[in-house]
Amino acid sequence: AKDTLLLRIFDLDSGMPGLNHAAYAELVKNAIAKGISDYRYARTPKALLKSAGLAATGVGLLLLLLVGWTRIHRKMIQMLEHHLKPRVFKIQTKSFELLKAGLLWDGVQGFMSVFHGTFIGLLVYSHVGFILRLFPWTRALADNLLGLVLNPLKMLALSFISAVPGVMVVLVIGLLCYGTLHILSLFFSGVRTGSIVLSGFDPDWAIPTYRIVRVAIVALAVMIAYPHIPGSNSAAFKGISVFLGIVFSLGSTSFAANLIAGYSAIYRRAFRAGDCIEVDGFRGEVLEIQTLVTRLRTIKNEVIVIPNSAIVNSPVINYSQYAKDRGLIVHTTVGIGYETPWRQVEAMLLEAAA
């Protein structure tokens, strides 16, 4: 470039047999000259005005395409409502409502909405890339526009491929855990029904014990599978785990107290389902003993839900424990006027006791 040396060309630079350095240098010089002339021409007022006209034409064409596609989409929806919707409801009638027509129709509408949005996104994306390529300052952005979409997808695909071995390990651990829990469920179900007898083990303990063993097995499986979970070593995953642990520890005080109290009430056999008890000032029949609460039904058919922590901290009167073997003494206080004959009082008391 005048007296400034830009670069040196050697015979090996051409990479083609028979093409010496002088001929290859001429090709390089012409390419550089064309690049400079194109660079300068793209920034002239004439070229910029032409690019602006093409950009305006592209925007107008985009608006026309969007309006036209919107109308076509509406026509397609109307045709589907006219022809497909009645058939969808016929499918529900023939399937005895196994398939809900409303859900099927919502699925069709959702698919059409996704298709509509995807087509509009492709139109806008292609026109934006076309307009950006018209101007020299945004041409590089237009070339990278496709990479803005494909590079994240490529990164996700590579991450997914690298995570496949860990996912397979987690899947195998999950299947082993599921199979073990299924076998234990059958075993404890047999204990509960009495087909399997364990010495010194109350059948009412079967389901609570199974729940405790299930939690222990699931916790063990999670501990083994945790290092193989994709992203488990990332800072974000660890931060979320710590946050969830703090939230659980702060909000689980009463939950843990009722849980421990529930298992304590079950294993000490203070009462069973069907017993008539009195606890914390409430009297009724035990409907069910859950891990967190116990449900009572009063004589008025009221259902009372009592936290298990209240049961552990209160005296429990069980009216049914000896009722079948030794009997239950039912007593009450009655008031009788002095002028009432004693034979009438005796007859009324005997009738009430009967």
Side-chain angles (χ1 to χ4, degrees):
K2 292 184 179 180
D3 296 333
T4 302
L5 180 65
L6 299 182
L7 71 160
R8 297 181 184 274
I9 302 296
F10 297 93
D11 291 339
L12 293 177
D13 292 331
S14 65
M16 299 175 61
L19 184 63
N20 56 19
H21 66 277
Y24 185 64
E26 188 68 22
L27 293 176
V28 172
K29 185 187 72 170
N30 293 334
I32 294 174
K34 185 176 184 305
I36 294 174
S37 62
D38 292 342
Y39 179 88
R40 292 173 178 173
Y41 175 76
R43 287 159 176 78
T44 59
K46 179 180 178 181
L48 293 176
L49 186 62
K50 179 180 178 181
S51 298
L54 292 175
T57 303
V59 171
L61 180 61
L62 174 62
L63 294 177
L64 290 176
L65 289 175
L66 290 177
V67 172
W69 171 249
T70 302
R71 292 181 178 178
I72 294 173
H73 178 71
R74 290 177 181 175
K75 293 290 185 181
M76 292 173 62
I77 294 296
Q78 292 176 359
M79 291 177 60
L80 289 175
E81 289 182 351
H82 181 70
H83 296 286
L84 184 61
K85 192 173 182 179
R87 296 184 180 181
V88 169
F89 282 90
K90 287 182 180 179
I91 292 175
Q92 175 177 338
T93 304
K94 294 180 179 180
S95 64
F96 298 101
E97 297 188 357
L98 293 175
L99 299 174
K100 296 295 184 180
L103 295 177
L104 291 175
W105 181 245
D106 290 342
V108 173
Q109 288 182 323
F111 173 78
M112 292 301 298
S113 299
V114 172
F115 179 72
H116 177 64
T118 303
F119 190 80
I120 290 179
L122 291 175
L123 282 178
V124 173
Y125 176 83
S126 60
H127 279 75
V128 168
F130 170 73
I131 293 173
L132 292 178
R133 286 187 181 88
L134 294 175
F135 300 97
W137 302 283
T138 57
R139 195 163 294 154
L141 179 60
D143 295 335
N144 295 328
L145 191 62
L146 185 61
L148 295 176
V149 178
L150 295 182
N151 289 338
L153 295 178
K154 181 181 178 181
M155 182 180 65
L156 290 175
L158 293 176
S159 301
F160 176 78
I161 293 174
S162 62
V164 168
V167 172
M168 294 302 297
V169 173
V170 173
L171 182 61
V172 171
I173 295 174
L175 291 176
L176 291 176
C177 179
Y178 176 79
T180 304
L181 291 178
H182 184 66
I183 295 173
L184 289 175
S185 175
L186 295 177
F187 174 76
F188 282 106
S189 296
V191 174
R192 182 177 63 86
T193 57
S195 57
I196 299 176
V197 179
L198 298 178
S199 178
F201 191 88
D202 195 305
D204 291 338
W205 295 347
I207 299 303
T209 305
Y210 168 70
R211 292 172 181 170
I212 295 175
V213 174
R214 180 177 60 184
V215 171
I217 291 176
V218 171
L220 179 63
V222 171
M223 290 174 57
I224 297 174
Y226 184 85
H228 303 282
I229 298 176
S232 60
N233 295 325
S234 63
F237 196 96
K238 294 178 180 178
I240 293 175
S241 302
V242 172
F243 174 75
L244 293 177
I246 294 174
V247 171
F248 181 78
S249 62
L250 292 177
S252 62
T253 304
S254 60
F255 174 82
N258 287 320
L259 184 66
I260 296 173
Y263 281 103
S264 175
I266 292 172
Y267 282 104
R268 70 179 183 175
R269 292 189 291 184
F271 51 86
R272 300 182 179 183
D275 289 352
C276 182
I277 67 171
E278 181 176 348
V279 58
D280 201 18
F282 300 102
R283 181 186 301 173
E285 177 189 356
V286 179
L287 294 179
E288 57 180 343
I289 307 172
Q290 297 180 340
T291 54
L292 300 179
V293 297
T294 297
R295 301 179 186 273
L296 303 182
R297 181 174 60 196
T298 67
I299 196 172
K300 299 178 181 179
N301 276 337
E302 300 169 337
V303 176
I304 302 175
V305 180
I306 304 177
N308 288 328
S309 58
I311 296 177
V312 172
N313 297 324
S314 302
V316 178
I317 301 176
N318 193 332
Y319 298 103
S320 303
Q321 188 167 2
Y322 294 121
K324 295 180 180 180
D325 301 331
R326 302 183 182 179
L328 176 66
I329 299 177
V330 181
H331 61 280
T332 185
T333 303
V334 297
I336 302 170
Y338 289 111
E339 71 279 2
T340 307
W342 70 269
R343 297 185 183 278
Q344 184 180 354
V345 174
E346 181 184 19
M348 291 175 64
L349 291 178
L350 290 175
E351 184 178 357

